[in-house]
């Protein structure tokens, strides 16, 4: 991709970042520098008013971590970095220059840098930092043009970076204040211990301090002795090491700060410290401390130490039962202080930040999730994170951050740490180890979970799926709305044991505050997708057809005009009823729900009729109620389900109601509250569903499968069937009372034989749609023309399959035509099955499917691809599963059995893709064939 396009992509990212995205902005700045200058070594210093220095906020290269530990004074003549910050003028540094800063020279010598170019970062006329571009190989010669482009790029993000820098430091300061409050509260508690029991000479509380390699020590959070000199001596001793044999406590606690000796799972009394080999021998030799009573507080599941409370005596003294009980109660209170004090300020900030975000009223789901994740990551201090949405695919629930093509569905940040996150199945111990993940477990259990060490979690039957070897600890919490998990927030840290119970509380607050808004956004986007599909169906109009009357209903015949009149007549009164549902009018609820029954032979266009009816109602909704909204709509086919699954699809179920019901689920009648529901094949409904539908239509009440609580919803129910319902009633298969309730408004759609006047225009309409679906890259834009004798043949034909049969005839004629005009002979051959026997013969169907498969394969070979020429037509229902299966079988005959080879042969994968892209597309390819096509 050209440099300008890559830079423009970075500018788009900048526009999407907020004050919570300091790290992302720094990463984009470094990427921009690399693209413009061609140099990979970059340091970025930012003004840090907390430490009073220019701190390295970002550094690339193998020494990046060490470079980030180096800071410069804000004002000094001994550093070029500082001089550039103060003067706001760029400068260059070379090792050996007489005027170079001595501090810069020290850094250059330590990290083997030969030269550097420094550019000021300025926002609104005020210095906020310095950009350093380094070289290890001779002089760094950046031309004036490159420096000018760099300055221009810096200008585009400086203001946002300044806001992010300020916000980041405010959050850091809040954390330091919380830590200070925690130490102060712990200090008050240990002071009270010395005064509580006379023999206690010194009390202290130790908490885990985790290093970057995952090993821990126990540092002194607070201590107190009546003798100030004794307390000072103790504090100078420093942390307790936990390597094996390093200290007395290391006998009981491992390097991960986890209690391994069960003797420390209860208070431990050591009568004489002088008998032990201590790490801190000064305790006995200089401070004359003799006995020790240790009260542990730890996580009940992992046994990881929260704190150890030490009570020292200067003589061999065994506390009485009363005194031990007193000290244990004291330690429990102290542990609650360590765990709980100090988080209130951060929790208040979380409430404020999320409330502000909700008040912004983001209309789109994905940007909202991205902002929520950015705030959560920054406020908690995590290194990266993601939000996965729960999606149901083929009866199984999955957590999805991005789809198989890498398009974000949920949210993730710092993508350089998590390149691609595949969908994870929701589940617990029943999943195989390779399917397990923390987010999947949290969604399954509906409980938060913290993993202190992902290394340990991976060694057993744990629930961690690694996205990067750099990530060491992890936390996840479910987002629950109406008793159902709809998403999972997951954060990661580059440090072991980073996340605490305080972080869990904060994430749960974020989940609770955002759950309803997130659910509403999901429902709105789902509705918009459904409306888009319906609009597409009614939106196509062929320029050569002039008889469109309503939407794209072709209405020349009297029977078609009657259908149009029905829609125009009932739409406004039905919409008047819809408007009452938002007003909770009591008398409205007593007269039952409105319904329409559509009957007619197979293939007469019942769903097409519904699409046009809905389109009319939705136009009224936008005109009279909400110009920016969509009238809720759901569609389902009763014949696609059976038994409890039918009931669940309509009315929902409770977790555990039947095998596979792993969570609570709302039915479509509840999801579509205030809108329109289309039930196709209503004649196939089982007796239990019929009873519940009748009850629902009477008062809007229903009960989810597996529970006893009655719920209510309001919808316009449109049902369709090709069955003779009076005959079904006579046979005892359909309830008469339900039939009369459904048929308050009813319409019978005519067969194609009853509307022959419409056939010529219908043929032109469908031929145009079919041609646009199958047209090759080198084919002309205009579809084939139907000659007059071809239209006559179509008008005279006796149709058994109605519109579907007409489409099949046109498809055959289009495929086997000679030229751009389809004549009468072509139609006659198409009606006969292209000379292969009866139109209803199985052989004809196979021959057509085979021909379609060959045509698609040829289009792919001529420069097309699997996604455009097979996947999309199948998604639009333009080709059948049999055609897809034949394409795969024919490709296997050429490429071999393995699916990766088939994917390459069908151009689902191409050589220009990166390894990551190929993995994603192969996953999508397999998912489509196995789960959708059911290969």
């Amino acid at each position: 991709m050209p440099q300008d396009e890559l830079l423009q992509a970075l500018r788009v990212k900048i526009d999407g970042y907020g004050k919570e995205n300091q790290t992302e902005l720094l990463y984009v700045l470094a990427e921009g520098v690399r693209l413009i200058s061609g140099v990979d070594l970059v340091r970025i210093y930012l003004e840090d008013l907390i430490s009073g220095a220019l701190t390295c906020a970002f550094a690339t290269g193998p020494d990046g971590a060490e470079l980030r530990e180096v800071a410069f004074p804000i004002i000094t003549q001994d550093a070029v970095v500082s001089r550039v910050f103060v003067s706001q003028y760029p400068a260059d540094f070379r090792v050996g220059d007489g005027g170079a800063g001595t501090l810069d020279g020290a850094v250059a010598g330590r990290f083997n840098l030969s030269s550097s170019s420094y550019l000021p970062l300025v926002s609104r006329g005020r210095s906020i930092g310095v950009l350093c571009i380094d070289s290890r190989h001779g002089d760094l010669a950046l031309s004036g043009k490159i420096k000018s482009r760099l300055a221009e790029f810096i200008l585009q993000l400086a203001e946002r970076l300044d806001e992010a820098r300020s916000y980041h430091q405010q959050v850091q300061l809040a954390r330091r204040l919380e830590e200070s409050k925690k130490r102060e509260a712990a200090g008050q508690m240990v002071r009270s211990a010395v005064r509580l029991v006379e023999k206690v000479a010194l009390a202290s509380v130790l908490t885990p301090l985790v290093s970057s390699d995952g090993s821990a020590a126990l540092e002194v959070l607070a201590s107190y002795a009546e003798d100030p000199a004794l307390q000072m001596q103790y504090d100078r001793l420093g942390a307790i090491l936990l390597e094996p044999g390093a200290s007395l406590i290391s006998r009981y606690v491992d390097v991960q700060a986890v209690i391994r000796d069960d003797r420390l799972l209860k208070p431990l009394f050591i009568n004489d410290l002088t008998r032990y080999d201590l790490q801190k021998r000064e305790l006995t030799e200089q401070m004359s401390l003799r006995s020790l009573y240790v009260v542990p507080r730890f996580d009940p599941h992992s046994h990881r130490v929260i704190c150890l409370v030490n009570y020292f005596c200067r003589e061999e003294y065994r506390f009485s039962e009363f005194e031990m009980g007193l000290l244990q109660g004291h330690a429990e209170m102290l542990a609650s202080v360590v765990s709980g004090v100090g988080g209130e300020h951060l929790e208040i900030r979380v409430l404020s930040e999320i409330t502000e975000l909700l008040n912004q009223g983001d209309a789109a789901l994905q940007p909202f999730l991205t902002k929520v994740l950015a705030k959560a990551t920054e406020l908690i201090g995590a290194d990266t994170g993601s939000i996965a949405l729960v999606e149901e695919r083929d009866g199984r629930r999955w957590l999805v951050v991005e789809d198989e093509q890498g398009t974000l569905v949920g949210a993730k940040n710092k993508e350089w740490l998590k390149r691609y996150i595949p969908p994870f199945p929701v589940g617990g111990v029943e999943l195989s180890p390779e399917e397990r993940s923390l987010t999947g477990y949290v969604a399954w259990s509906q409980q938060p979970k913290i993993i202190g060490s992902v290394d340990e979690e991976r060694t057993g039957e744990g629930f961690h799926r690694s996205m990067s070897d750099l990530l060491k600890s992890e936390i996840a919490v479910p987002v629950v709305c109406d008793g159902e998990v709809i998403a999972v927030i997951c954060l990661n840290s580059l440090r072991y044991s980073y996340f605490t119970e305080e972080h869990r509380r904060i994430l749960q607050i974020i989940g609770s505050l955002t759950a309803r808004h997130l659910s509403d956004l999901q429902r709105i986007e789902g509705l918009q997708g459904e409306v888009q599909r319906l609009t597409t169906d009614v939106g196509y109009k062929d320029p050569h057809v002039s008889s469109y009357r309503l939407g794209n209903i072709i209405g020349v015949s009297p029977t078609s005009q009657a259908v149009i009149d029905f829609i125009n007549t009932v739409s406004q009164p039905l919409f008047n009823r819809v408007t009452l549902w938002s007003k909770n009018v009591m008398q409205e609820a007593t007269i039952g729900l409105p319904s329409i029954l559509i009957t007619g032979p197979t293939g007469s266009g019942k769903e097409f009729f519904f699409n046009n009816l809905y389109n009319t109602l939705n136009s009224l909704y936008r005109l009279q109620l909400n110009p920016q909204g969509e009238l809720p709509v759901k569609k389902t086919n009763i014949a696609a389900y059976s038994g409890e699954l039918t009931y669940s699809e309509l009315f929902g179920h409770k977790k555990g109601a039947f095998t596979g019901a792993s969570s609570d689920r709302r039915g479509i009648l509840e999801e579509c509250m205030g809108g329109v529901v289309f039930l196709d094949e209503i004649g196939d409904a089982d007796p239990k569903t019929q009873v519940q539908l009748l009850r629902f239509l009477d008062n809007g009440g229903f009960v989810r499968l597996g529970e006893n609580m009655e719920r209510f919803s309001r919808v316009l129910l449109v049902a369709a069937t090709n069955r003779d319902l009076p005959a079904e009633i006579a046979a005892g298969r359909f309830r008469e009372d339900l039939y009369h309730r459904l048929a308050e408004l009813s319409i019978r759609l005519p067969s194609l034989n009853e509307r022959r006047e419409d056939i010529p225009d219908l043929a032109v309409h469908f031929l145009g749609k079919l041609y646009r679906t199958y047209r090759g890259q080198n084919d002309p834009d205009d579809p084939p023309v139907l000659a007059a004798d071809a239209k006559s043949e179509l008008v005279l034909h006796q149709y058994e399959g109605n519109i579907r049969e007409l489409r099949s005839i046109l498809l055959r004629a289009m495929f086997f035509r000679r030229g751009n005009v389809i004549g009468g002979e072509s139609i006659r051959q198409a009606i006969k099955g292209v000379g292969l026997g009866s139109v209803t013969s199985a052989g004809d169907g196979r021959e057509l499917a085979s021909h379609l498969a060959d045509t698609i394969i040829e289009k792919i070979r001529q420069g097309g691809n699997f996604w455009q020429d097979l996947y999309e037509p199948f998604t639009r229902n333009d080709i059948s599963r049999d055609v897809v299966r034949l394409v795969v079988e024919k490709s296997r005959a050429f490429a071999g059995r393995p699916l990766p080879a088939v994917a390459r042969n069908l151009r689902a994968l191409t050589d220009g893709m990166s390894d990551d892209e190929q993995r994603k597309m192969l996953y999508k390819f397999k998912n489509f064939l196995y789960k959708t096509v059911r290969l």
Side-chain angles (χ1 to χ4, degrees), residues 498-553:
Y498 177 77
F499 300 106
T500 64
E501 287 300 304
E502 178 188 330
H503 295 144
R504 176 191 59 76
R505 288 197 306 273
I506 289 170
L507 277 185
Q508 286 183 299
I509 291 171
I510 292 173
S512 298
L513 289 174
T514 58
R516 176 58 59 189
H517 189 64
L518 170 55
S519 176
D520 290 343
L521 288 176
Q522 282 184 292
R523 183 179 58 82
I524 290 168
E525 292 213 348
L527 176 59
Q528 288 173 337
E530 183 67 34
V531 171
Q532 179 62 39
R533 286 189 288 273
L534 294 178
T535 304
T536 300
D537 189 37
V538 302
Y540 173 77
K541 292 183 178 180
D542 193 284
H544 301 96
V545 175
S546 60
S547 59
Y548 294 114
R549 293 293 180 265
L550 177 69
N552 61 354
I553 296 178

Side-chain angles (χ1 to χ4, degrees), residues 846-904:
R846 286 193 297 270
E847 181 68 22
L848 177 60
S850 180
H851 184 77
L852 274 171
D854 289 338
T855 301
I856 291 168
I857 290 171
E858 186 58 32
K859 286 181 70 175
I860 291 172
R861 285 175 179 166
Q862 290 179 0
N865 63 69
F866 173 85
W867 307 108
Q868 171 186 304
D869 299 312
L870 189 69
Y871 178 83
E872 289 181 9
F874 178 82
T875 304
R876 295 193 301 264
N877 295 318
D878 291 333
I879 59 175
S880 67
R881 280 185 171 85
D882 289 336
V883 173
V884 178
R885 291 189 182 106
L886 277 171
V887 169
V888 173
E889 287 175 14
K890 289 171 182 283
S891 181
R892 274 178 162 166
F894 179 81
R897 299 292 299 174
L899 277 182
V902 175
R904 288 189 175 280

Side-chain angles (χ1 to χ4, degrees), residues 170-330:
Q170 289 172 27
V171 172
Q172 281 188 317
L173 181 60
R175 291 201 197 102
R176 294 190 186 186
L177 290 173
E178 288 156 11
E179 183 66 24
S180 176
K181 285 172 64 179
K182 188 177 294 185
R183 288 184 180 276
E184 181 182 350
Q188 291 177 356
M189 289 299 298
V190 292
R191 186 179 294 111
S192 70
V194 174
R195 296 169 180 171
L196 197 63
V197 178
E198 183 181 359
K199 293 293 184 180
V200 174
L202 183 143
S204 69
V205 56
L206 307 177
T207 56
L209 175 67
V210 183
S211 64
S212 59
D213 64 357
S215 62
L218 295 176
E219 68 166 345
V220 179
L221 180 66
S223 67
Y224 181 75
E226 291 285 2
D227 180 355
L230 179 63
Q231 181 182 343
M232 190 179 300
Q233 279 183 290
Y234 181 83
D235 289 342
R236 280 202 299 260
L237 294 179
I240 305 294
L241 301 179
L242 295 177
E243 285 82 5
S247 64
L248 175 60
I249 294 298
S250 69
R251 298 183 180 188
Y252 308 94
V253 181
D254 69 11
V255 290
Q256 302 289 334
V258 175
I259 297 174
R260 296 302 184 190
D261 191 323
D262 290 353
R263 288 179 292 176
L264 194 58
L265 295 178
K266 55 186 178 181
L268 179 69
F269 179 71
I270 299 173
N271 186 51
D272 188 359
L273 288 170
T274 62
R275 297 168 56 188
Y276 293 88
D277 186 16
L278 303 178
Q279 174 197 346
K280 312 292 186 183
R281 304 183 67 86
E282 296 92 336
L283 289 172
T284 57
E285 294 176 357
Q286 298 175 17
M287 300 166 62
S288 302
L289 298 175
R290 195 65 177 268
S291 61
L292 170 64
Y293 187 55
V294 183
V295 182
R297 310 310 297 176
F298 51 85
D299 182 275
H301 303 292
S302 66
H303 291 176
R304 188 171 190 276
V305 171
I306 297 172
C307 66
L308 296 181
V309 187
N310 298 326
Y311 304 98
F312 291 95
C313 299
R314 277 187 150 163
E315 59 185 82
E316 289 186 37
Y317 178 77
R318 180 174 289 277
F319 295 107
S320 68
E321 291 294 328
F322 176 78
E323 288 173 329
M324 285 192 290
L326 205 60
L327 292 177
Q328 287 172 29
H330 177 270

Side-chain angles (χ1 to χ4, degrees), residues 566-816:
F566 178 89
I567 293 176
N568 286 330
T569 301
V570 304
S571 293
Q572 186 62 58
L574 288 172
F575 182 73
N576 294 341
R577 183 75 186 279
V578 170
T579 60
L580 294 178
W581 291 335
S582 60
K583 300 177 183 177
N584 294 318
V585 179
M586 290 302 296
Q587 59 268 31
E588 184 275 333
T590 64
I591 61 173
L593 298 179
S595 60
I596 297 175
L597 179 63
I598 310 169
T599 62
T602 298
S604 56
K606 291 182 284 295
E607 186 173 356
F608 180 70
F609 168 87
F610 170 78
N611 292 347
N612 279 277
L613 171 66
Y614 171 79
N615 196 52
T616 304
L617 292 170
N618 195 43
S619 297
L620 292 171
Y621 181 83
R622 288 179 171 177
L623 181 66
Q624 299 181 28
L625 281 184
N626 184 356
Q628 305 300 319
E630 307 284 0
L631 181 65
V633 60
K634 288 286 182 180
K635 299 162 74 172
T636 194
N637 189 315
I638 297 293
Y641 304 91
S642 62
E644 291 175 333
L645 293 179
T646 307
Y647 192 101
S648 170
E649 170 70 7
L650 297 181
F651 304 108
H653 64 251
K654 188 175 177 61
K655 181 178 179 179
F658 55 88
T659 303
S662 56
S663 67
D664 293 349
R665 181 185 184 276
R666 290 185 296 171
I668 63 171
L669 296 173
E670 187 177 354
E671 287 182 332
C672 201
M673 170 70 183
V676 188
V677 172
F678 178 63
L679 302 184
D680 203 1
E681 308 294 355
I682 190 65
D684 289 20
D686 60 81
K688 183 178 180 180
T689 303
Q690 291 183 40
V691 171
Q692 187 64 36
L693 269 176
L694 178 62
R695 179 185 177 193
F696 176 72
L697 287 170
D698 280 343
N699 64 7
F702 64 95
V703 176
R704 287 183 184 175
L705 186 65
E707 73 175 16
N708 298 319
M709 183 175 72
E710 186 171 29
R711 302 170 184 268
F712 292 90
S713 185
R714 298 281 183 269
V715 300
L716 165 61
L717 189 68
V718 182
T721 183
N722 59 2
R723 291 181 182 269
D724 183 348
L725 290 186
E728 294 293 306
I729 292 168
R733 290 189 292 267
F734 201 84
R735 294 180 64 97
E736 185 174 6
D737 47 5
L738 177 59
Y739 170 73
H740 291 302
R741 190 66 186 76
L742 288 169
E744 286 182 348
L745 291 170
S746 64
I747 182 170
R748 179 189 174 276
L749 298 185
S751 68
L752 197 53
N753 297 323
E754 297 174 86
R755 49 183 300 207
R756 293 187 182 278
E757 302 97 316
D758 298 330
I759 290 176
D761 282 350
L762 284 169
V764 173
H765 172 86
F766 286 119
L767 183 61
K769 286 190 74 174
L770 290 167
Y771 180 75
R772 281 162 177 76
T773 300
Y774 293 103
R775 181 170 65 91
Q777 292 181 345
N778 298 321
D779 292 336
D781 292 339
D782 293 331
V785 176
L786 280 172
D789 59 339
K791 294 179 181 179
S792 298
E793 290 291 340
L794 290 170
V795 170
L796 294 173
H797 178 62
Q798 188 67 24
Y799 293 90
E800 297 294 332
N802 294 295
I803 296 294
R804 288 198 187 101
E805 185 179 349
L806 174 62
R807 284 176 54 131
S808 296
I809 292 169
L810 290 168
L811 182 66
R812 285 192 288 271
M814 182 182 75
F815 270 36
F816 295 104

Side-chain angles (χ1 to χ4, degrees), residues 805-849:
E805 185 179 349
L806 174 62
R807 284 176 54 131
S808 296
I809 292 169
L810 290 168
L811 182 66
R812 285 192 288 271
M814 182 182 75
F815 270 36
F816 295 104
R817 72 186 187 277
R818 293 183 176 87
N820 203 41
V821 176
I822 297 176
E825 181 59 28
S826 295
I827 295 297
R828 285 190 290 273
Q829 291 297 316
I831 290 173
K832 292 176 182 178
V834 201
L836 297 172
S838 166
V839 73
T840 59
S841 71
D844 173 43
R846 286 193 297 270
E847 181 68 22
L848 177 60

Side-chain angles (χ1 to χ4, degrees), residues 131-165:
L131 168 67
C132 305
I133 306 172
D134 299 321
S135 173
R136 286 186 168 137
H137 309 289
D139 286 348
L140 180 66
L142 297 181
S143 68
K145 182 179 179 181
I146 288 177
K147 289 184 178 180
S148 176
R149 293 195 70 190
L150 286 171
E152 180 185 345
F153 187 73
I154 290 169
L155 184 64
Q156 290 167 344
L157 60 67
E159 190 170 326
R160 288 180 188 270
L161 181 57
D162 187 25
E163 291 175 359
R165 175 195 63 84

